[in-house]
Amino acid sequence: MLVRAGLSGLRPRLMAAPVALAVLLSLASCAGPRFGLPYPRERAGLAFTDSLPPRVFLEQVQDLRPKAQREGQGVFFKLTFPSDDSWERPVDQIYRQALSQDLAQTRVVELVPLPRQAAYTLSAELFSFGCRLERSPAAFLMPLGGGMMAGLVLGEDSSDKLKLGAVLGLALTMAMPMPTAHRAECEVRLTLRDPSGAVVWQKACLGEVDGRAYIPATARDDRKLAQKHLPRAVKRCNACLLGQLRDFLSRQGAAAQ
């Protein structure tokens, strides 16, 4: 009797829980300042030992990402993030800075400010730059079932048992950490042209970082996940590209001797 009496006073707040949780989820997905890419320094040196690096002018990056990455999608089961509105600068500028940093620090080439100073012109096409998060719908069955069982035990009549069970199930679903898979990826194609504009080298690489974590459905850890994993995906993509670029330039230098 004491349990039911206490529950009667608590029931209005429980019934309001779904609305409150929905509002919190909406605010969590939109709140917070815009963020940048905490890109690590490159420690590996790829400079040529027997010659100076060729002079290269880096053009602007062409952003060819799909609409889902630009706008962000999903709420519970499949999420694509961050949206363009979440970044402090346009994504093409963010990637261009990361590529410039890796080119300069590895010393594969010498970047010059004007095209007429360069032996080559380098351009980039950005196909993917973002994160995905996935939850299995089956993971929601356990908290929903637990809430329904509690409603059957604590409810007063059939209608009350169903309503209370649904509310408790939804509350548990929103609050319990769920097994979640997430992936950060960066896919880029670099193109190298000679002074006449002819393409002399072109390669594409995909950098990926996969992980798993337990995250509640109401938690939007977009910032944390993106800033932790996306820089590593970009670094892997650029390492693949610059390694192949160095091989090409090395062969060109050997052929010219």
Side-chain angles (χ1 to χ4, degrees):
M1 295 297 294
L2 291 176
V3 173
R4 292 187 181 277
L7 184 60
S8 298
L10 185 62
R11 184 174 279 105
R13 282 177 286 176
L14 287 174
M15 294 302 183
V19 177
L21 287 170
V23 172
L24 288 174
L25 182 59
S26 176
L27 292 175
S29 63
C30 302
R34 296 182 179 184
F35 56 95
L37 188 76
Y39 199 61
R41 290 181 57 84
E42 179 57 63
R43 298 180 181 179
L46 302 177
F48 299 97
T49 58
D50 54 353
S51 63
L52 295 175
R55 292 186 171 187
V56 170
F57 174 73
L58 179 59
E59 294 183 325
Q60 293 293 327
V61 175
Q62 186 177 4
D63 190 350
L64 301 177
R65 292 173 300 141
K67 181 180 179 181
Q69 284 196 1
R70 294 175 180 272
E71 298 181 356
Q73 292 184 349
V75 178
F76 291 113
F77 302 118
K78 294 183 179 181
L79 289 75
T80 302
F81 62 94
S83 65
D84 284 0
D85 292 339
S86 301
W87 294 106
E88 62 183 9
R89 292 187 297 152
V91 169
D92 57 341
Q93 295 182 15
I94 293 175
Y95 175 74
R96 187 180 190 278
Q97 181 177 354
L99 177 60
S100 299
Q101 177 180 315
D102 284 342
L103 287 168
Q105 292 175 356
T106 57
R107 300 189 297 278
V108 172
V109 300
E110 178 187 350
L111 294 177
V112 294
L114 299 173
R116 66 173 180 268
Q117 300 172 329
Y120 299 101
T121 298
L122 185 66
S123 62
E125 295 166 292
L126 187 61
F127 298 123
S128 181
F129 189 91
C131 302
R132 298 198 305 270
L133 185 148
E134 295 185 1
R135 297 184 179 95
S136 171
F140 289 76
L141 296 179
M142 183 177 295
L144 283 173
M148 293 302 297
M149 290 296 296
L152 292 175
V153 173
L154 301 174
E156 296 177 352
D157 53 37
S158 297
S159 177
D160 187 62
K161 290 176 185 291
L162 291 175
K163 291 179 182 179
L164 184 59
V167 170
L168 291 175
L170 180 59
L172 287 175
T173 300
M174 295 297 183
M176 286 183 61
M178 299 286 181
T180 304
H182 50 84
R183 168 178 290 186
E185 65 179 36
C186 175
E187 184 178 6
V188 178
R189 181 169 64 193
L190 293 184
T191 302
L192 195 69
R193 293 179 171 85
D194 64 17
S196 70
V199 174
V200 296
W201 175 86
Q202 187 178 71
K203 294 293 180 182
C205 284
L206 172 65
E208 298 175 293
V209 175
D210 295 307
R212 298 188 66 86
Y214 284 83
I215 304 174
T218 52
R220 291 300 301 266
D221 290 343
D222 296 11
R223 176 187 298 273
K224 179 180 177 181
L225 292 173
Q227 292 191 328
K228 179 180 180 181
H229 299 297
L230 191 52
R232 294 170 56 201
V234 176
K235 185 67 72 173
R236 291 180 180 181
C237 178
N238 284 352
C240 169
L241 290 168
L242 299 193
Q244 296 183 75
L245 176 60
R246 188 191 186 283
D247 288 343
F248 168 77
L249 294 173
S250 179
R251 293 195 302 270
Q252 290 294 104
Q257 294 178 356

